[in-house]
Amino acid sequence: MKSDCIQTTSCQERKKDPIEMFHSGQLVKVCAPMVRYSKLSFRTLVRKYDCDLCYTPMIVAADFVRSAKARDSEFTTNQGDCPLIVQFAANDARLLSDAARIVCPYANGIDINCGCPQRWALAEGYGACLINKPELVRDMVKQVRNQVENPRFSVSIKIRIHDDLTRTVDLCRKAEATGVSWITVHGRTVEERHQPVHYEAIKIIKESMSIPIVANGDIRSLKEAENVWHITGTDGVMVARGLLANPAMFAGYEETPLKCIWDWVDIALELGTPYMCFHQHLMYMMEKITSRQEKRIFNALSSTSAVLDYLTDHYGIDRTS
């Protein structure tokens, strides 16, 4: 686990509490947990463009607890990386609470992934299968609450919905009674992938709960985020692919501005972002502003120096001056 803030004040003391943000009456703009992508360098970028709260990629709690190598590779942060939620895949209350205690000094809270629909996660008893195990979710939340002494440390869950929405409302009410801080709802069932998001279902869940609810699913612009916020009555919106394509989305940009690309280069180089990650993010960001021929050339580049040369030649982004 790499952190520049080990010798400094803890995250909770340095930045506004997410719970307070959700009760502000303002739209809370959230960067989703994204495997491989929502790492420190990308979180640093979106925070520059009005993102209020960031999640780490999903981390398997058992590996995190048992392996120092996993901790070093999966969780990297620094003093400016706040407020921050660490998302875990877990199916064991003790292991989850152990993982929460490890990250507690460096994050505002943890989130339990109850929404990942991938087969490997379901086979391991992680992710979306947990929406059918409310007692296990309750036990995990209780154990974290008992083991983490900081009362401001949040414990949230991210879920998908059931075909029978009454089951989802029941799950959320049980989670609320257990002490969950907030719930993020992806408005699709486990089986749905690209079907329209059920925003009406998210609205019903919000109207049934007292704790904050965050809406998630198919939000690609600030205007869409504000629209979903109003439609659902939720306390925040969480965005994944929309931010990958345009990290400046929450600041109101319709497509990635050149300044944002410039910022990404600076941040990625400063934080030592691996080349594949550095390049892949640029491919996403430049999707809308490059022609098919330009994409073929850019996507085939194989070194940081080649990328910097390309950006300088095509967009006047010169990081050597």
Side-chain angles (χ1 to χ4, degrees), residues 209-225:
M209 308 295 294
S210 299
I211 57 173
I213 301 295
V214 178
N216 173 230
D218 277 7
I219 298 168
R220 303 300 178 105
S221 69
L222 179 60
K223 185 176 181 180
E224 287 183 10

Side-chain angles (χ1 to χ4, degrees), residues 270-306:
E270 180 182 349
L271 294 177
T273 303
Y275 175 74
M276 284 188 66
C277 179
F278 170 65
H279 188 216
Q280 186 71 53
H281 274 291
L282 285 169
M283 288 163 61
Y284 279 120
M285 290 181 210
M286 297 168 63
E287 175 72 23
K288 289 185 178 180
I289 62 173
T290 50
S291 67
R292 185 175 298 178
Q293 174 64 18
E294 287 172 332
K295 285 184 182 65
R296 274 201 295 268
I297 295 169
F298 184 80
N299 294 356
L301 299 177
S302 58
S303 70
T304 299
S305 59

Side-chain angles (χ1 to χ4, degrees), residues 77-93:
T77 188
N78 61 23
Q79 191 166 358
D81 189 27
C82 281
L84 177 67
I85 304 300
V86 182
Q87 190 188 68
F88 286 111
N91 59 14
D92 181 282

Side-chain angles (χ1 to χ4, degrees), residues 72-279:
D72 285 343
S73 65
E74 297 293 333
F75 183 57
T76 305
T77 188
N78 61 23
Q79 191 166 358
D81 189 27
C82 281
L84 177 67
I85 304 300
V86 182
Q87 190 188 68
F88 286 111
N91 59 14
D92 181 282
R94 184 185 59 80
L95 285 172
L96 178 64
S97 65
D98 288 346
R101 284 198 298 171
I102 293 170
V103 302
C104 180
Y106 316 113
N108 291 79
I110 63 135
D111 183 83
I112 306 170
N113 186 317
C114 305
C116 179
Q118 295 184 32
R119 287 180 188 167
W120 76 266
L122 300 179
E124 294 288 339
Y126 302 141
C129 68
L130 293 176
I131 64 173
N132 298 316
K133 300 179 180 179
E135 291 77 19
L136 176 55
V137 174
R138 177 198 63 201
D139 291 345
M140 290 195 289
V141 173
K142 277 188 175 179
Q143 186 83 343
V144 174
R145 286 273 179 240
N146 290 337
Q147 292 297 317
V148 176
E149 295 180 357
N150 187 341
R152 295 176 63 192
F153 191 77
S154 66
V155 184
S156 57
I157 62 175
K158 184 174 186 288
I159 67 170
R160 284 188 172 230
I161 60 174
H162 299 85
D163 289 315
D164 177 1
L165 196 60
T166 60
R167 294 182 63 196
T168 314
V169 171
D170 181 62
L171 167 72
C172 293
R173 284 176 172 160
K174 287 178 177 175
E176 179 178 28
T178 306
V180 159
S181 306
W182 69 82
I183 299 172
T184 300
V185 182
H186 182 96
R188 291 188 177 98
T189 66
V190 178
E191 292 77 23
E192 291 176 325
R193 292 295 185 272
H194 304 294
Q195 292 87 339
V197 177
H198 303 289
Y199 294 120
E200 184 63 29
I202 301 176
K203 179 182 179 183
I204 291 169
I205 293 167
K206 172 58 186 174
E207 291 171 346
S208 305
M209 308 295 294
S210 299
I211 57 173
I213 301 295
V214 178
N216 173 230
D218 277 7
I219 298 168
R220 303 300 178 105
S221 69
L222 179 60
K223 185 176 181 180
E224 287 183 10
E226 292 171 339
N227 189 40
V228 168
W229 180 50
H230 289 301
I231 288 172
T232 60
T234 50
D235 305 279
V237 296
M238 176 184 281
V239 178
R241 285 175 292 182
L243 280 173
L244 280 181
N246 179 8
M249 188 195 99
F250 283 142
Y253 292 92
E254 291 298 317
E255 59 186 32
T256 309
L258 290 179
K259 184 181 186 308
C260 183
I261 295 173
W262 183 324
D263 287 337
W264 171 245
V265 170
D266 285 343
I267 291 166
L269 294 181
E270 180 182 349
L271 294 177
T273 303
Y275 175 74
M276 284 188 66
C277 179
F278 170 65
H279 188 216

Side-chain angles (χ1 to χ4, degrees), residues 45-65:
L45 179 66
V46 296
R47 291 186 195 280
K48 289 176 67 75
Y49 290 91
D50 293 354
C51 184
D52 299 312
L53 177 64
C54 291
Y55 281 55
T56 68
M58 180 182 72
I59 300 169
V60 176
D63 296 341
F64 190 79
V65 170

